[in-house]
Amino acid sequence: MSVRPDGARLAGLLAAAAEGRLPARVHAVVPLGEVASAHRAVAKGGVRGKYVLQP
């Protein structure tokens, strides 16, 4: 596998996600105070999507 930076492509992907054309995979939205439990859940594995921390 090869990786290279591509700022223009990343900007396009972020814009598509912000406009709703590219769905983001979110597992759960959790309050900032529960960051430790979210971190433990990710460390266990098997979580599809990301945790979004809400201030």
Side-chain angles (χ1 to χ4, degrees):
M1 179 179 289
S2 176
V3 179
R4 63 181 171 86
D6 189 343
R9 184 164 187 216
L10 178 59
L13 291 171
L14 290 173
E19 294 168 1
R21 294 183 292 119
L22 181 63
R25 188 177 289 174
V26 175
H27 179 74
V29 178
V30 297
L32 193 55
E34 295 181 21
V35 68
S37 62
H39 188 269
R40 283 191 295 274
V42 171
K44 284 183 183 177
V47 175
R48 293 192 60 157
K50 303 295 181 188
Y51 281 86
V52 175
L53 301 175
Q54 188 174 37

